Amino acid sequence: MHKHILSPLHAALLILAAGCAVFAVIAGLRAAGALQRIELVHYDRTVARLANTEPAGDVVIVAIGEEDLARWGWPLPDEKLAELLEALKGAGATAIGVDIYRDNPVAPGSAALTRAFDNSRSVWITMLGASGANAIRGPAFAESADSTGFADVPVDPDGVVRRALLLTSDGAGVSLSFAARLAFLAAGQAGLKSAPDDPSVLLFGDTPVPRLRDGSGSYRGIDDTGYQIAVAWQNGPPVAKVISAADLLDGRAGAGDIAGRVVVLGLTSISIKDNFRTPLNRPPHRPFSYGVSVHAAVVQQLIDISAGRLRPLRSPPPPLHLVMILTAALAGAGAGYFARSLAGGIFFGPGLALAVGAGASAALAHGLWLPAVPVAFAWFAGFLVVFTIISVLARQQRRTIATLFSDHLSPELSAQIWQSRDVLLSGGKPVPMRLYTTILFADLAGSTTVGGTADPEAFMTWASTLLDEMSRITRAQGGFVEKFTGDGILVVFGAPMPSEAADARSRDATRACQAASEIARAVERFNADPGLLAPYQVRIGLHSGEVLSGTLGTTGSLQYNVMGDTVNIAARIEAFGKTLKDRQQSSVVICLSETTAKLLPEQEGLRPAGRMVHDDGQSAFEIYELTGCSSAHGGAPEDQG
């Protein structure tokens, strides 16, 4: 059964307060952009893990590398570009994108390039300026045919490309990106289409593609000018199959590689910078991707969306992000309350935090960008705050139990008290209770006389030897040593753990009798030592009944006490032993009330010793002398089921 450190109400308030505090911190950090870097790094790793190892199926890259530039020169002559375009058309390319800036002719071969460019199947790249107009225009023949598309690749503050700009507008109209125009050609889409229910959302095929805005996914404070989307990065490096331009012209590549596919023709040369860092550029892959690979990834993504093979990446609105973070913080705080062991702490804390984060990350595979890192942080932080608070409270309660009980009880009973702390403790102190107990009151008779003539050190050793043995015996029988009374001891059976059932009360009385009998045997054993300072004489009184229990004293000096008529009567019964005629014939006299006697399973070993008048002066009760004790309920406390 779970043991509560706090009451259900206080536990709920703690979980609520801790969860809300953690939520406020995480949400504040996220709003300030403090978590963006780690969120994006996590996003990159997730995207790279999900990427298909196979190249894109609808896009091919024709690469002009260092060797090609060494053969043909730079800038590449128009006639060489014309040859490449003719070869690509002849190989059956669905669409051709030329990723080479060419705002002025490069002779020779300009006329041939004009003839080779087929505006129904080709797009030439341009560069946007700061105003949104083209800073580097395309060739005149491409511009006049409106067969150009801009290449403006948004780069995040950490230098990684995760977004694509599909269109932008200025005073003169709307400009489409290089990748968007190629995707339209491949899909047979004539131009821009808007969603019927929301004109601000673009359609590719029949699929709405939501615009990426500031606040989407893990982004905070980005420039979301124009119509941007998150790049899916479905295929690992180099994204698409790469064919050398020289192989194409020399006939080593042809229709089998190109027919029915979109071709992106561009540079893969270190000497001419056109490279970017992407989420895919992690070991063992190269640390960058060429621009043609970036364009190929976006084209393949848009083609798949148009064909219904890929869900556009979506992100819940920011308020829903906050709800998810708050829920995780509260759930983590709740988990922190119920985790009670190291294994439970590892499972409920970092274990479930990682699991929750992994679940949110897996949503990317289904086109949903969730706040995985803040949710995982919120869970773990909520868990850690509450787990720490509960651990501190538990240590304080252990300290309370150790201070009040550990020196007075057996280790087994101390452990039982700790397991029942939700019943016994409140506010860091034992709950005052009315308990049914059996009291054992023992006194070292004649100690004053011995101490009057003995050496102080010898006397204290003599007295403490027997008192220590009494304490050991009674604790072993499940008794609570309430106090040492100078030369005596007061032991309670049935406290601080309540004994409510009849068999439990009988067991307490039996153990008290057994403890008294063991003390008698210990005294006889000690008295057999000829070197003993003086023979021990002990009187023991036993009585059963209700007592009031609780702590007395101030902070730092609290003491657990029992009080009531039952304690007083036990002390009077102990003193009653002085009146027995045969007290000089035995070193130990054990007397018990008829109330205790009735609780014993058997009456063997008991003989009437007289009657004692109650404090009220009117009623009296029987006193018995114990000469033996039944073991029907015997055994140490740990032996009881």
Side-chain angles (χ1 to χ4, degrees):
M1 185 178 74
H2 177 68
K3 305 298 179 184
H4 299 285
I5 296 292
L6 301 173
S7 69
L9 176 60
H10 288 157
L13 291 175
L14 172 62
I15 291 170
L16 181 62
C20 290
V22 167
F23 163 74
V25 172
I26 298 293
L29 290 173
R30 194 167 193 251
L35 300 182
Q36 179 169 279
R37 180 67 181 272
I38 190 171
E39 284 192 70
L40 291 177
V41 168
H42 171 267
Y43 171 82
D44 292 348
R45 293 184 181 277
T46 304
V47 166
R49 187 177 67 254
L50 293 174
N52 194 334
T53 56
E54 297 296 323
D58 299 299
V59 182
V60 174
I61 295 171
V62 173
I64 302 172
E66 291 288 353
E67 293 183 0
D68 300 326
L69 294 179
R71 289 172 56 190
W72 303 329
W74 182 257
L76 206 64
D78 286 350
E79 65 176 357
K80 192 57 63 178
L81 286 175
E83 290 180 33
L84 290 168
L85 290 179
E86 291 291 356
L88 290 172
K89 289 192 294 182
T94 299
I96 304 168
V98 183
D99 182 20
I100 297 174
Y101 294 121
R102 182 60 51 98
D103 52 348
N104 294 308
V106 178
S110 299
L113 180 58
T114 302
R115 290 192 300 271
F117 186 80
D118 182 351
N119 56 27
S120 65
R121 298 169 64 184
S122 304
V123 178
W124 208 289
I125 201 164
T126 62
M127 177 184 287
L128 283 179
S131 64
N134 285 328
I136 299 179
R137 304 180 68 85
F141 53 82
E143 290 281 348
S144 63
D146 193 23
S147 293
T148 61
F150 67 81
D152 185 35
V153 179
V155 179
D156 288 339
D158 59 354
V160 179
V161 174
R162 303 181 182 92
R163 296 173 284 149
L165 179 61
L166 299 186
L167 68 84
T168 185
S169 61
D170 56 17
V174 174
S175 299
L176 276 175
S177 73
F178 179 67
R181 282 195 177 273
L182 283 173
F184 284 160
L185 287 176
Q189 184 169 326
L192 292 175
K193 294 192 301 183
S194 298
D197 56 344
D198 188 353
S200 67
V201 176
L202 289 180
L203 290 179
F204 280 80
D206 295 324
T207 305
V209 180
R211 176 184 173 188
L212 182 72
R213 299 179 182 273
D214 185 29
S216 298
S218 303
Y219 284 115
R220 296 294 180 273
I222 62 167
D223 180 4
D224 60 358
T225 303
Y227 204 101
Q228 300 182 29
I229 64 170
V231 181
W233 299 112
Q234 306 169 81
N235 305 96
V239 175
K241 182 176 182 178
V242 178
I243 299 173
S244 164
D247 288 346
L248 176 65
L249 294 183
D250 294 343
R252 290 188 293 273
D257 302 304
I258 293 170
R261 293 181 173 86
V262 176
V263 175
V264 181
L265 172 63
L267 299 171
T268 56
S269 169
I270 297 295
S271 60
I272 301 175
K273 187 180 184 308
D274 184 27
N275 52 67
F276 303 89
R277 284 177 54 213
T278 75
L280 304 178
N281 299 125
R282 298 181 176 277
H285 304 295
R286 68 173 66 192
F288 63 88
S289 293
Y290 291 108
V292 286
S293 293
V294 175
H295 298 313
V298 179
V299 171
Q300 183 64 60
Q301 177 178 345
L302 296 177
I303 290 174
D304 286 340
I305 291 173
S306 298
R309 297 192 298 261
L310 178 68
R311 294 181 180 179
L313 194 60
R314 307 176 310 283
S315 175
L320 189 54
H321 285 201
L322 295 178
V323 171
M324 295 176 66
I325 295 170
L326 176 60
T327 301
L330 291 172
Y337 179 73
F338 288 102
R340 285 293 180 273
S341 63
L342 177 60
I346 294 173
F347 174 77
F348 284 108
L352 284 185
L354 290 174
V356 169
S361 303
L364 272 176
H366 303 283
L368 192 59
W369 192 353
L370 300 178
V373 171
V375 163
F377 278 3
W379 180 289
F380 183 67
F383 167 86
L384 192 62
V385 168
V386 173
F387 186 78
T388 301
I389 291 173
I390 293 300
S391 297
V392 170
L393 292 176
R395 282 196 296 272
Q396 290 176 345
Q397 290 191 355
R398 279 188 180 275
R399 193 177 302 117
T400 297
I401 289 175
T403 301
L404 294 175
F405 301 128
S406 294
D407 291 339
H408 304 273
L409 295 168
S410 65
E412 294 77 16
L413 191 52
S414 295
Q416 290 181 30
I417 292 174
W418 172 246
Q419 292 299 320
S420 301
R421 61 189 179 277
D422 58 327
V423 174
L424 298 176
L425 297 180
S426 177
K429 297 193 300 183
V431 177
M433 290 184 181
R434 191 179 299 275
L435 304 174
Y436 194 96
T437 64
T438 294
I439 303 293
L440 183 152
F441 203 102
D443 182 70
L444 182 53
S447 61
T448 302
T449 302
V450 176
T453 58
D455 175 73
E457 183 176 356
F459 173 76
M460 294 304 295
T461 300
W462 175 79
S464 63
T465 297
L466 181 59
L467 291 174
D468 288 347
E469 182 66 6
M470 288 181 180
S471 174
R472 184 194 67 78
I473 290 170
T474 54
R475 289 175 62 187
Q477 286 294 339
F480 170 72
V481 180
E482 199 260 13
K483 65 168 68 76
F484 289 94
T485 58
D487 57 357
I489 187 171
L490 173 60
V491 184
V492 186
F493 292 82
M497 296 284 291
S499 295
E500 298 176 352
D503 61 338
R505 296 177 180 183
S506 175
R507 184 174 62 244
D508 291 337
T510 301
R511 286 176 175 165
C513 290
Q514 288 176 334
S517 297
E518 287 189 36
I519 290 172
R521 289 192 288 272
V523 168
E524 297 300 334
R525 189 171 63 253
F526 284 139
N527 286 346
D529 182 2
L532 193 65
L533 179 64
Y536 292 117
Q537 298 288 327
V538 176
R539 294 190 302 272
I540 299 175
L542 299 166
H543 181 56
S544 302
E546 285 191 343
V547 298
L548 293 175
S549 68
T551 53
L552 297 176
T554 60
T555 302
S557 61
L558 291 175
Q559 183 175 356
Y560 184 80
N561 294 93
V562 296
M563 60 189 70
D565 281 346
T566 301
V567 179
N568 297 332
I569 292 173
R572 292 183 60 207
I573 293 174
E574 175 270 314
F576 181 86
K578 298 177 184 179
T579 66
L580 297 184
K581 295 180 180 179
D582 60 351
R583 63 184 182 277
Q584 300 299 330
Q585 300 175 12
S586 175
S587 300
V588 179
V589 177
I590 304 171
C591 295
L592 63 151
S593 68
E594 62 179 312
T595 305
T596 301
K598 290 178 181 179
L599 291 174
L600 299 177
E602 297 179 11
Q603 306 298 313
E604 295 179 5
L606 299 181
R607 65 184 180 190
R611 293 177 63 82
M612 191 172 75
V613 179
H614 200 278
D615 286 340
D616 58 14
Q618 298 178 1
S619 59
F621 52 89
E622 293 290 337
I623 302 295
Y624 295 89
E625 183 179 3
L626 176 67
T627 59
C629 190
S630 170
S631 60
H633 283 70
E638 64 271 23
D639 295 330
Q640 300 301 317

